[in-house]
Amino acid sequence: MLPCFTKKLFGFDCPGCGIQRSLLHLVRGEFGAAFEMYPAIYPMLLLFIFLAVDKFFNFKNSNTISRVLMVATVGTLLINYILKFI
């Protein structure tokens, strides 16, 4: 695993801390552990999958869907990051 440079330099987690371990849990099939490690992993995966599929197939409301998925991803990421410090 790659070390977090933000944590090494400043001593606190960055918003992306835990994503590598979460992906590793997903590969192993440990879906609950992946969510506990990094809750934004699922909306982020949905966003990336949708963007990849959207390149090949044109959806009617693709802009709206991608915006909703982006807001869900960023919202989940920020809420998780704020809750780490409480």
Side-chain angles (χ1 to χ4, degrees):
M1 295 281 156
L2 296 172
C4 178
F5 297 112
T6 303
K7 191 168 187 171
K8 278 188 172 185
L9 290 175
F10 302 114
F12 57 87
D13 291 344
C14 69
C17 278
I19 194 167
Q20 290 180 23
R21 291 172 285 167
S22 180
L23 286 171
L24 186 62
H25 284 300
L26 277 179
V27 169
R28 292 179 182 167
E30 301 166 349
F31 303 110
F35 181 78
E36 288 178 17
M37 185 64 58
Y38 195 73
I41 191 71
Y42 292 118
M44 189 179 298
L45 283 176
L46 284 174
L47 174 63
F48 290 148
I49 289 169
F50 176 76
L51 291 175
V53 171
D54 189 43
K55 287 288 183 189
F56 299 107
F57 305 103
N58 292 328
F59 292 104
K60 183 178 178 182
N61 296 320
S62 63
N63 288 339
T64 304
I65 295 170
S66 61
R67 285 185 190 139
V68 168
L69 288 172
M70 285 181 208
V71 168
T73 301
V74 171
T76 307
L77 193 146
L78 289 176
I79 289 169
N80 179 50
Y81 189 62
I82 290 168
L83 290 177
K84 279 185 180 182
F85 292 111
I86 292 178

